Amino acid sequence: MTTTRRIMDNIFLIGYRCTGKTSAGKTLAAKLGLRFVDSDRVIVAEIGCSIAEFIAANGWGAFREKERNVLARLSEIDRQVVAAGGGAVTATENVVRMRSSGKVIWLQASPDAIRRRMQADAGTAVNRPPLTGQGSLEEIAMVLEVRKPLYAGAAHYRIDTDDLNTDEVAKKIIEIIDDDLKKNPDG
């Protein structure tokens, strides 16, 4: 039986901005024949503006509440790859929901790799509003320092994406899932 037919749960990809959650998630979903969902894109579709505009008008608290509601709904659906927002792990209820409805995989990258990817991404300013008043590398290092234990506590598995392309990340995730299914054939 192939991996695709045996996956009943979700695969949640967590990690900081620009670690490959969306790009690798799309590739992974296509390879496994699963639905791909980016939780931030669901939020944008529902709020009718960019995340940066929403946060400027309503604050981070309102955004995190919207994120909790979206992840709660997504956690009730099976057989999908979900790219969770970088800060989704800051709410314990998000972590509990993701872990109870699928496998959580932390895509990790170094601050330098994240900064390079953010600079190369034209949508960074609109889709990724600053989290602190620090410069980009300082902000990345500071936020990662706070979130690393949260990512580690939420994740079933971790993959370092610094030197991997999206196909390689997807392949590593499939290997993890195959190994997991061999060890736990009934779930």
Side-chain angles (χ1 to χ4, degrees), residues 123-176:
T124 289
V126 172
N127 297 319
R128 299 179 175 99
L131 300 171
T132 70
Q134 304 291 318
S136 69
L137 191 57
E138 293 83 8
E139 176 179 278
I140 293 165
M142 182 181 359
V143 174
L144 276 177
E145 188 66 29
V146 171
R147 289 188 185 166
K148 276 185 180 180
L150 300 174
Y151 291 136
H156 292 102
Y157 302 101
R158 179 185 65 84
I159 297 172
D160 184 337
T161 67
D162 272 7
D163 299 316
L164 302 176
N165 64 38
T166 56
D167 284 331
E168 292 167 329
V169 173
K171 183 180 176 190
K172 282 193 171 283
I173 294 169
I174 291 169
E175 289 170 1
I176 287 169

Side-chain angles (χ1 to χ4, degrees), residues 60-95:
W60 277 102
F63 174 75
R64 293 293 179 216
E65 179 63 26
K66 185 68 175 170
E67 182 175 59
R68 279 190 294 277
N69 293 335
V70 166
L71 283 172
R73 289 194 322 265
L74 292 175
S75 295
E76 294 175 4
I77 303 167
D78 289 333
R79 298 185 48 81
Q80 60 187 351
V81 175
V82 178
V89 295
T90 62
T92 303
E93 64 195 90
N94 290 342
V95 173

Side-chain angles (χ1 to χ4, degrees), residues 36-58:
F36 173 76
V37 181
D38 182 312
S39 66
D40 282 346
R41 292 194 179 151
V42 172
I43 293 169
V44 167
E46 291 182 8
I47 62 178
C49 62
S50 72
I51 291 173
E53 291 168 329
F54 183 82
I55 291 169
N58 302 288

